[in-house]
Amino acid sequence: MHRFPENFTWGVACAAYQCEGAWNEDGKGPNIWDEYCHDPDLHAVKNGDSGDIACDSYHRYPEDIALMKAHHVQAYRFSISWARILPEGTGRVNPKGLEYYDRVVDMLLENGIEPMITLYHWDLPSALQKRGGFLNPEIEGWFENYASIIAEHFRGRVKRYMTINEPQCITGLGYGAGTHAPGLRLGEEDLARIYHHICLCHSAAQRAIHRLAGPDVQVGIVPCGALCYPEKDTPENREAAYRATFEMHEHDWLFRFNIVLDSLILRRYEATAPAAVKRFAATIPQSEWDRMEAPDFIGINVYRGSMVDAEGKPVKYPQGGPLTACKWQITPEVMHYGPLNLYRRYGLPMIISENGLSCNDRVYLDGQVHDADRIDFLHRYLLCLSEAISEGAPVQGYLQWSFLDNFEWASGYDERFGLIYVDYATLRRIPKDSVRWYAEVIRTKGDCL
Ligand code: BGC
């Protein structure tokens, strides 16, 4: 009996701003992360880092793809930089932008690696932010136009799309806490409005992709948020973890899966949504609810979850318990119960669109990067994922975050999430022990776990 389904996809993931660099080359327009990092008064990003050069994947993609191939990677989830394609966000198309992604997609296909495109991983063209960004209802049309250009261009070559990565971070961190670009701190009703616009964007893009690239092309969205798992494996505890995952509270409603998925799939807000969301919801015309499209699949980014007791109350993480380099709790059980709970509520197939951790990686005296912590982490999470699948969660693939060390947003280059080490002084790539381990997992279809 195999742990993972026969047609399961094993891959890796990254995002344009985090790895491409070439921030002002070949006609690319500026985006909100360029501006956020470059603003000398903001001190927004650690060490004043930026994605100007990042891993230089814009120039070194052949080497990166060769490394993927050498390690049996079956799919590469990457995002497209909107401002490379449409420097002003709308209007004029930059052919050189499309040509870059043509080269990437074609080289992936030649090497037997499936290109999975994320349309939006946080780098809004600055020209659109000047017009209000996600707060402006016109964003639905801007995004639909951008999605249409991509869908038509890559018709026949790309079979799986993800529209928007982590609306929760876009809204909560970018427009709420101001700790991500565009660095705004808006009130709750505006934040609810932004969520709604993001859902309309997803829906419009999904319709465009199906129309232009074909009905068989799969379109997902990648929400994130707190996934709860039970302290003990009893039916009562499991039930409590399910309830706790979807309940909203004034202090954490911004970071729930259902603030996005309930709108798209159930076309309503959760009964426990806070007053600000309900006030906003009362203003939504029926025609906008009617435009919501349930995704073909849900992309889930899994890093850490929250343990809850039989009443659904949080259980304190043990003091001195295992932590990643950026001090995130290590909770593999979330990979078991998270997909099951999402499936129970929404009934849709899923892809683990990100999973990984930052480690204090370094080059040892022998010239190698020995990252036993990463191997142990991924091993535990994958075993739990196999539990979820054996209990009926239809998970179609697993994408490790990230293939290369890269620009980790507000933490700059301090955090290393890669299977491949990047020496930022020389941009040299050094495969870590974990990538050889992952290659074996892929080669054996997970049977070696
Ligand atoms: C994001 C990635 C990020 C990763 C690790 C996810 O929230 O999609 O862009 O690098 O987590 O923080």
Side-chain angles (χ1 to χ4, degrees):
M1 196 31 204
H2 300 293
R3 282 214 174 89
F4 291 88
E6 189 52 37
N7 55 358
F8 195 76
T9 305
W10 297 94
V12 293
C14 201
Y17 191 77
Q18 296 183 269
C19 70
E20 283 179 3
W23 74 281
N24 58 358
E25 275 182 51
D26 291 340
K28 173 183 162 295
N31 65 46
I32 55 174
W33 272 93
D34 294 321
E35 298 207 355
Y36 191 65
C37 295
H38 291 166
D39 188 330
D41 302 325
L42 272 181
H43 303 291
V45 175
K46 263 200 188 163
N47 318 310
D49 290 343
S50 76
D52 288 2
I53 299 173
C55 312
D56 195 29
S57 292
Y58 188 76
H59 299 109
R60 292 168 197 252
Y61 68 91
E63 184 183 349
D64 297 341
I65 294 173
L67 281 167
M68 288 176 204
K69 162 104 170 156
H71 294 96
H72 312 313
V73 167
Q74 297 171 347
Y76 179 37
R77 171 185 176 224
F78 61 95
S79 77
I80 290 194
S81 159
W82 188 340
R84 263 192 218 292
I85 308 298
L86 293 151
E88 290 91 37
T90 58
R92 185 178 58 87
V93 174
N94 173 33
K96 290 208 163 143
L98 282 173
E99 283 162 23
Y100 165 64
Y101 294 107
D102 275 335
R103 293 193 295 275
V104 172
V105 166
D106 291 344
M107 189 171 286
L108 287 167
L109 291 171
E110 281 156 23
N111 285 284
I113 301 169
E114 178 189 346
M116 276 190 200
I117 289 181
T118 306
L119 288 173
Y120 187 72
H121 202 125
W122 305 357
D123 46 358
L124 191 73
S126 302
L128 298 184
Q129 187 54 44
K130 292 200 178 79
R131 295 161 76 182
F134 281 95
L135 198 52
N136 185 336
E138 288 180 72
I139 188 95
E140 184 184 358
W142 302 334
F143 193 66
E144 180 181 4
N145 170 57
Y146 160 55
S148 304
I149 292 166
I150 300 298
E152 187 152 26
H153 191 77
F154 291 103
R155 180 177 46 218
R157 289 186 283 172
V158 174
K159 301 283 185 210
R160 287 190 268 194
Y161 280 92
M162 304 188 200
T163 53
I164 299 179
N165 184 71
E166 297 190 351
Q168 287 76 356
C169 291
I170 297 170
T171 312
L173 304 180
Y175 289 87
T179 53
H180 275 188
L184 299 179
R185 303 184 68 140
L186 304 179
E188 291 205 307
E189 270 185 66
D190 278 342
L191 297 177
R193 189 183 311 279
I194 286 173
Y195 269 119
H196 182 63
H197 291 163
I198 288 176
C199 291
L200 290 170
C201 284
H202 161 84
S203 303
Q206 176 164 322
R207 278 189 295 273
I209 295 169
H210 282 156
R211 190 173 65 245
L212 296 163
D216 55 320
V217 171
Q218 299 288 297
V219 185
I221 186 167
V222 185
C224 66
L227 287 175
C228 301
Y229 62 91
E231 184 179 18
K232 292 188 205 108
D233 195 13
T234 67
E236 299 72 39
N237 279 260
R238 280 185 177 227
E239 193 59 33
Y242 174 82
R243 278 198 318 274
T245 297
F246 300 105
E247 219 165 64
M248 287 184 183
H249 314 99
E250 294 286 342
H251 67 277
D252 65 6
W253 69 272
L254 282 162
F255 290 93
R256 316 304 283 185
F257 271 83
N258 44 329
I259 189 69
V260 170
L261 294 180
D262 283 5
S263 295
L264 287 173
I265 303 166
L266 311 178
R267 297 186 174 188
R268 61 166 167 79
Y269 286 104
E270 158 67 28
T272 53
V277 176
K278 289 190 171 143
R279 270 199 307 279
F280 168 70
T283 70
I284 300 176
Q286 187 55 40
S287 58
E288 292 186 2
W289 284 119
D290 293 345
R291 290 211 291 283
M292 294 295 177
E293 293 279 345
D296 299 324
F297 66 90
I298 301 170
I300 332 174
N301 293 348
V302 184
Y303 291 93
R304 54 184 159 167
S306 328
M307 190 198 274
V308 295
D309 66 15
E311 266 78 59
K313 301 265 173 312
V315 177
K316 207 171 165 295
Y317 195 70
Q319 204 158 15
L323 296 173
T324 70
C326 60
K327 306 283 182 217
W328 293 359
Q329 298 92 343
I330 297 181
T331 60
E333 301 86 345
V334 67
M335 197 66 115
H336 176 181
Y337 301 99
L340 284 171
N341 284 336
L342 286 169
Y343 184 54
R344 172 170 161 194
R345 190 170 179 99
Y346 301 114
L348 288 173
M350 293 160 283
I351 291 179
I352 306 301
S353 35
E354 293 180 23
N355 173 234
L357 79 162
S358 70
C359 294
N360 290 314
D361 295 319
R362 62 189 176 281
V363 183
Y364 280 54
L365 280 173
D366 64 1
Q368 303 289 318
V369 180
H370 302 297
D371 56 340
D373 283 354
R374 179 168 289 103
I375 294 174
D376 183 64
F377 177 103
L378 298 177
H379 195 164
R380 288 171 190 270
Y381 276 66
L382 281 171
L383 286 176
C384 285
L385 178 59
S386 73
E387 294 284 322
I389 292 172
S390 73
E391 285 184 40
V395 179
Q396 301 173 332
Y398 170 89
L399 310 174
Q400 195 278 340
W401 183 276
S402 178
F403 192 58
L404 303 176
D405 291 337
N406 60 57
F407 175 79
E408 177 54 21
W409 307 114
S411 306
Y413 297 98
D414 273 7
E415 304 298 340
R416 293 183 176 275
F417 276 82
L419 296 173
I420 306 273
Y421 184 92
V422 177
D423 173 0
Y424 292 112
T426 62
L427 295 170
R428 188 171 150 228
R429 276 80 165 129
I430 306 175
K432 302 180 192 178
D433 287 353
S434 58
V435 79
R436 287 183 279 273
W437 174 85
Y438 188 47
E440 185 60 10
V441 173
I442 300 175
R443 199 187 61 77
T444 62
K445 299 184 169 152
D447 286 348
C448 68
L449 292 167

